[in-house]
């Protein structure tokens, strides 16, 4: 099948040919006709399978035939979880829309808001945004939603993981009820299905890969080693294999900075990218990595999704992620769009349980290799169990105990039931009883409280 058969205009086809895109991917084959027909779509596919073009191309086709956008209005809204992904999607929109009379813009936090407000004054056909900055712009009347025809939630599962559900619900309340909804996600988790119930109506469901499976184009293996040997082992691997472009994942921002300094000291050009870096620094680091000016990009999981790097050959898990699903997204940065890649994990004994969780999630044992001089002093046990995790059964709700008029609770047996003991009367029950408790303690009684005991000096 070719793009010519999907109902796209000659202008869009020409733009694809300039990018050397000849055949649509499986997700594109199914998503493009569904979006062009105006139906809601709920699609799941691994990263690197062409999801962005799957919704961008048909949106451009539909908007090119519609009415012009009003000032401060938008016609299509694409929500993304991260700034990096927003920038990537924005670049794709610009590339595919060349020659069409359509405008687009990208807005996200971490940069000045005034230039974004100025860009929206004349209105844009397609707006790519992160949820927080979009709400800020709406509160300042810089963007209006009454003309929105299409809503896209890209990497919806990641948005839920990052806690954007409240912002998403606020945005949904602001949008016109009559619109086309497209939900793209790496997985169809229970949380995604719950979100879909509020979002899509009679959707076309598309799933081109089994849930949590890793791409077959990615070769994976594990290097068992000790924690303190990892930095030197990484430098050895990069130098010995002459890797010119490697994406390295750490768990923490400080760990990423520390590893970057180590690589630089070993003569390997490297930069870190994480949440503490300004947006300008993150964009610059990514650009230098893509251009080959640096060999290693050290990232936290903020970069695990949305980074689109052509022909990225190697991904290294310097530390395994706490959540097994993040492993799939990390290594999905390589082996994209049919190309091959390598995913290497440096694993110490403390990370054995994390490794088991990853292997059980993907239902696949990852091969191991050892390098002389970097063997683990504390051995990493070999795992054999790749059975999928069973979902926990929900607990049965307890039957509530209802009080009857006779005081007996439901579920109690009346026969042999011991009656409650009679309450002994106390002095507080008798309002006329004298207060003698204080006398026993040698304290003044209520009437003399606060007065000296004995004869008054004035008498």
């Amino acid at each position: 099948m070719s793009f010519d058969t999907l109902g796209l205009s000659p202008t869009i086809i020409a733009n694809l040919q300039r990018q050397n895109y000849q055949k649509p991917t499986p997700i594109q084959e199914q998503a493009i006709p569904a979006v062009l027909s105006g139906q809601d779509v709920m699609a799941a596919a691994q990263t690197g399978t062409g999801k962005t073009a799957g919704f961008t191309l048909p949106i451009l086709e539909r908007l090119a035939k519609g009415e012009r956008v009003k000032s401060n209005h938008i016609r299509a809204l694409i929500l993304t979880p991260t700034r990096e992904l927003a920038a990537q999607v924005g670049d794709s929109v610009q590339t595919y829309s060349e020659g069409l009379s359509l405008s687009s813009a990208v807005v996200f936090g971490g940069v000045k808001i005034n230039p974004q407000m100025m860009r929206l004054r004349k209105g844009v056909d397609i707006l790519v945004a992160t949820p927080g900055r979009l709400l800020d712009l709406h509160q300042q009347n810089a963007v209006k939603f009454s003309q929105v025809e299409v809503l896209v939630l890209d990497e919806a599962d990641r948005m839920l993981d990052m806690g954007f559900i409240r912002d998403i619900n606020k945005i949904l309340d602001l949008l016109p009820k009559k619109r086309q909804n497209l939900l793209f996600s790496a997985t169809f988790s229970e949380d995604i299905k719950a979100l879909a119930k509020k979002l899509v109506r009679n959707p076309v469901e598309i799933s081109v890969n089994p849930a949590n499976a890793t791409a077959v184009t990615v070769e994976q293996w594990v290097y068992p080693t000790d924690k303190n040997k990892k930095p030197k082992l990484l430098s050895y691997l990069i130098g010995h294999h002459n890797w010119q472009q490697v994406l390295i994942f750490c768990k923490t921002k400080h760990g990423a900075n520390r590893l970057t300094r180590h690589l630089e000291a070993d003569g390997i050009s490297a930069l870190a990218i994480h949440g503490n870096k300004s947006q300008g620094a993150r964009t610059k680091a990514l650009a230098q990595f893509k251009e080959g000016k640096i060999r290693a990009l050290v990232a936290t999981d903020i970069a695990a999704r949305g980074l689109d790097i052509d022909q990225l050959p190697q991904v290294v898990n310097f530390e395994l992620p706490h959540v097994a699903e993040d492993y799939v997204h990390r290594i999905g940065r390589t082996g994209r769009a049919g190309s091959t890649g390598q995913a290497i994990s440096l694993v110490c004994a403390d990370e054995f349980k994390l490794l088991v969780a990853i292997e059980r999630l993907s239902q696949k044992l990852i091969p191991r290799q050892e390098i002389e001089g970097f063997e683990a002093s504390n051995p990493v046990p070999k795992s054999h169990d790749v059975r999928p995790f069973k979902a926990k059964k929900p607990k049965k709700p307890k039957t509530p105990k209802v009080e009857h008029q006779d005081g007996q609770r439901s579920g109690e047996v009346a026969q042999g039931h011991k009656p409650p003991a009679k309450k002994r009367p106390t002095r507080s029950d008798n309002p006329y009883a004298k207060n003698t408790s204080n006398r026993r303690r040698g304290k003044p009684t209520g009437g003399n409280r606060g007065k000296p005991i004995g004869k008054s000096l004035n008498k």
Side-chain angles (χ1 to χ4, degrees):
M1 180 181 287
S2 66
F3 285 105
D4 297 324
T5 62
L6 296 179
L8 299 173
S9 67
T11 303
I12 295 178
I13 297 292
N15 291 336
L16 291 170
Q17 289 174 346
R18 275 194 289 271
Q19 300 298 317
N20 294 320
Y21 297 149
Q22 303 298 331
K23 292 177 62 178
T25 63
I27 187 72
Q28 293 165 1
E29 285 182 10
Q30 298 181 59
I32 291 174
V35 177
L36 285 174
S37 68
Q39 295 175 278
D40 284 8
V41 172
M42 184 176 173
Q46 292 173 355
T47 55
T49 54
K51 286 186 290 182
T52 302
F55 61 77
T56 300
L57 297 176
I59 287 175
L60 291 171
E61 186 69 33
R62 292 196 65 194
L63 296 184
K65 303 171 184 176
E67 60 183 14
R68 295 190 62 179
V69 68
K70 302 175 185 176
S71 60
N72 289 111
H73 283 70
I74 59 174
R75 296 174 60 201
L77 173 61
I78 303 173
L79 288 177
T80 68
T82 66
R83 307 165 187 176
E84 284 74 22
L85 182 55
Q88 301 275 0
V89 174
D91 289 343
S92 296
V93 171
Q94 281 194 327
T95 300
Y96 302 142
S97 64
E98 190 175 340
L100 300 173
S101 57
L102 295 173
S103 57
S104 62
V106 181
V107 296
F108 46 71
V111 296
K112 292 181 180 179
I113 196 172
N114 286 341
Q116 297 176 354
M117 295 174 68
M118 296 294 290
R119 179 71 184 86
L120 291 168
R121 271 190 180 176
K122 293 181 179 180
V124 294
D125 293 289
I126 302 175
L127 180 65
V128 186
T130 52
R133 177 50 60 94
L134 181 68
L135 288 173
D136 291 342
L137 288 164
H138 178 263
Q139 289 172 357
Q140 299 191 43
N141 293 319
V143 61
K144 300 176 182 178
F145 301 123
S146 61
Q147 241 187 314
V148 171
E149 302 171 34
V150 185
L151 168 68
V152 181
L153 290 189
D154 191 17
E155 299 282 7
D157 50 342
R158 185 62 170 170
M159 278 198 269
L160 296 186
D161 291 343
M162 295 175 68
F164 282 130
I165 186 62
R166 291 183 64 184
D167 287 347
I168 291 172
N169 287 331
K170 288 178 184 177
I171 293 167
L172 293 179
D173 291 340
L174 297 170
L175 299 180
K177 300 299 180 186
K178 187 178 180 181
R179 65 177 188 270
Q180 185 180 21
N181 302 290
L182 313 176
L183 188 151
F184 283 75
S185 172
T187 60
F188 281 161
S189 65
E190 293 303 317
D191 289 338
I192 289 295
K193 290 176 181 177
L195 175 62
K197 288 180 181 179
K198 298 184 290 185
L199 180 67
V200 293
R201 295 180 293 272
N202 300 319
V204 175
E205 293 193 18
I206 302 169
S207 182
V208 298
N209 286 308
N212 298 318
T214 53
V216 294
T217 55
V218 180
E219 184 182 4
Q220 305 170 59
W221 67 86
V222 165
Y223 283 111
T225 189
D226 294 324
K227 186 175 182 179
N228 61 348
K229 295 177 183 176
K230 283 187 179 186
K232 284 294 181 185
L233 173 57
L234 178 60
S235 295
Y236 170 81
L237 290 171
I238 294 174
H240 180 73
H241 297 290
N242 196 26
W243 291 343
Q244 295 301 311
Q245 196 179 43
V246 54
L247 177 61
I248 305 159
F249 283 103
C250 291
K251 285 194 294 190
T252 67
K253 304 167 188 176
H254 298 299
N257 289 336
R258 189 164 53 246
L259 181 59
T260 301
R261 291 192 295 269
H262 167 82
L263 293 174
E264 287 281 348
D266 281 353
I268 300 168
S269 55
L271 286 173
I273 178 172
H274 52 67
N276 278 1
K277 297 285 185 179
S278 68
Q279 185 57 42
R282 287 158 64 172
T283 303
K284 184 178 179 181
L286 182 57
Q288 290 182 337
F289 184 62
K290 287 183 175 183
E291 294 166 5
K293 294 180 180 178
I294 58 170
R295 295 174 67 181
L297 185 66
V298 186
T300 54
D301 280 312
I302 192 170
R305 304 193 192 191
L307 287 186
D308 189 6
I309 304 165
D310 292 335
Q311 306 296 320
L312 176 64
Q314 282 91 23
V315 168
V316 173
N317 291 294
F318 184 76
E319 297 164 310
L320 293 182
H322 284 300
V323 180
E325 286 85 351
D326 286 342
Y327 174 84
V328 178
H329 300 303
R330 283 182 178 187
I331 72 170
R333 298 303 98 208
T334 186
R336 297 168 70 85
S339 62
T340 59
Q342 299 174 332
I344 301 99
S345 299
L346 312 185
V347 181
C348 64
D350 293 343
E351 297 172 302
F352 172 66
K353 290 184 178 179
L354 300 177
L355 177 61
V356 170
I358 290 167
E359 291 179 328
R360 291 189 67 176
L361 180 74
S362 60
Q363 298 180 45
K364 176 181 177 182
L365 290 175
I366 304 174
R368 301 186 180 202
Q369 295 184 21
E370 286 191 344
I371 294 181
E372 187 177 353
F374 296 98
E375 299 92 346
S377 301
N378 299 312
V380 181
K382 290 186 177 181
S383 53
H384 303 284
D385 188 3
V386 292
R387 293 172 299 170
F389 289 105
K390 291 183 179 180
K392 292 183 179 180
K393 293 181 180 180
K395 293 182 179 180
K396 293 182 179 180
K398 293 182 179 180
T399 306
K401 294 182 179 181
V402 182
E403 292 280 356
H404 296 295
Q405 289 182 354
D406 58 359
Q408 180 184 328
R409 295 180 178 179
S410 61
E412 289 181 350
V413 181
Q415 185 177 0
H417 182 66
K418 188 176 180 179
K422 291 184 179 180
K423 183 181 177 183
R424 294 181 63 185
T426 62
R427 291 189 176 275
S428 59
D429 294 329
N430 184 359
Y432 301 104
K434 292 183 180 180
N435 185 2
T436 58
S437 58
N438 286 331
R439 287 179 181 169
R440 294 194 191 101
R441 299 173 191 161
K443 296 182 180 180
T445 57
N448 294 325
R449 189 168 296 161
K451 296 180 181 179
I453 299 175
K455 294 182 180 180
S456 172
L457 295 176
N458 294 328
K459 290 184 179 180

